[in-house]
């Protein structure tokens, strides 16, 4: 099944405030809490749900190989990280572990390119999940122009027991998902053009 890349309009990095004055963490702080290795290379997580994980990366020297293009290992790390987050949520916050990753590198992403990532489930079994993760590069000056950088499949075993010393490991991910749902609900009810907006106002 063909999956479309996330639209750039959904990739806002600003902190959002809801009508109840609750502050939604920025993508930068959210990524730092959810996955420090991704944060360290500049990746920013956007959407977090059991059916889709999205994010973006501005290609800098932190994630380049010597020829100033995105390192293939970075693409693989992004793929397994996003798939693991999604599988964790889809399994009901159970412990998951990646057991296989295959990746095809289609085109290079150069230093300065903006890369958009999306992970979606292909199979959500009780013990085995398979996720597809795609990375596209896009031109910040022409967001409609996108090229597939890599496509990967990540197989994970799920419903593993959570060790006592790691019971809180998924709390931040669960909270991030809940806050994003709150943010989406706030948009639905308050922004012009949203279905919940009072047309008489």
């Amino acid at each position: 099944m063909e999956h479309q890349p996330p639209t750039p309009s959904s990739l806002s990095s600003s902190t959002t405030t809801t009508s109840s004055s609750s502050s939604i963490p920025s993508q930068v702080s959210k990524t730092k809490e959810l996955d420090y290795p991704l944060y360290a290379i500049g990746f920013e997580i956007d959407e977090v749900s059991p059916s889709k994980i999205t994010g973006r990366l501005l290609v800098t020297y932190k994630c380049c190989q010597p020829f100033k293009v995105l390192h293939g290992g970075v693409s693989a790390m992004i793929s397994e990280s996003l798939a693991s987050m999604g599988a964790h949520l889809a399994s009901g916050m159970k412990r998951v572990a990646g057991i296989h990753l295959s990746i095809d590198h289609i085109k290079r992403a150069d230093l300065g390119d903006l890369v958009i990532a999306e992970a979606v489930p292909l199979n959500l079994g009780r013990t085995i999940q398979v996720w597809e993760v795609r990375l596209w590069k896009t031109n910040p000056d022409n967001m409609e122009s996108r090229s597939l950088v890599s496509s990967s499949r990540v197989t994970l075993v799920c419903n593993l027991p959570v060790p006592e010393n790691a019971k809180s490991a998924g709390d931040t991910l669960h909270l991030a998902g809940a806050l994003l749902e709150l943010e989406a609900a706030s948009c639905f009810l308050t922004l012009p053009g949203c279905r919940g907006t009072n047309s008489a106002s």
Side-chain angles (χ1 to χ4, degrees), residues 1-128:
M1 180 177 181
E2 183 70 21
H3 300 288
Q4 295 300 316
T7 58
S9 60
S10 67
L11 302 178
S12 170
S13 61
S14 60
T15 298
T16 303
T17 302
T18 69
S19 57
S20 61
S21 299
S22 298
S23 180
I24 305 298
S26 70
Q27 275 82 346
V28 174
S29 63
K30 180 171 59 185
T31 305
K32 185 176 181 180
E33 294 296 324
L34 293 176
D35 194 304
Y36 195 88
L38 288 184
Y39 164 78
I41 62 169
F43 191 87
E44 296 181 17
I45 295 170
D46 290 298
E47 183 176 351
V48 178
S49 78
S51 60
K52 184 187 294 183
I53 309 289
T54 66
R56 58 204 161 118
L57 174 71
L58 180 64
V59 180
T60 66
Y61 285 103
K62 290 182 179 180
C63 50
C64 278
Q65 42 102 308
F67 294 102
K68 298 183 180 179
V69 299
L70 180 65
H71 196 295
V74 170
S75 299
M77 180 177 73
I78 292 171
S79 297
E80 179 146 4
S81 294
L82 299 192
S84 296
M85 290 181 200
H88 182 61
L89 289 170
S91 67
M93 309 306 289
K94 300 292 185 179
R95 180 186 171 195
V96 301
I99 57 175
H100 181 75
L101 183 150
S102 62
I103 184 168
D104 293 309
H105 301 286
I106 312 299
K107 290 186 178 180
R108 73 176 189 270
D110 296 310
L111 182 67
D113 282 341
L114 177 64
V115 172
I116 299 173
E118 179 185 83
V120 294
L122 297 180
N123 179 69
L124 296 177
R126 293 184 62 184
T127 56
I128 295 290

Side-chain angles (χ1 to χ4, degrees), residues 179-189:
L179 288 174
L180 280 168
E181 289 181 3
L182 178 63
E183 180 181 12
S186 175
C187 167
F188 184 81
L189 293 173

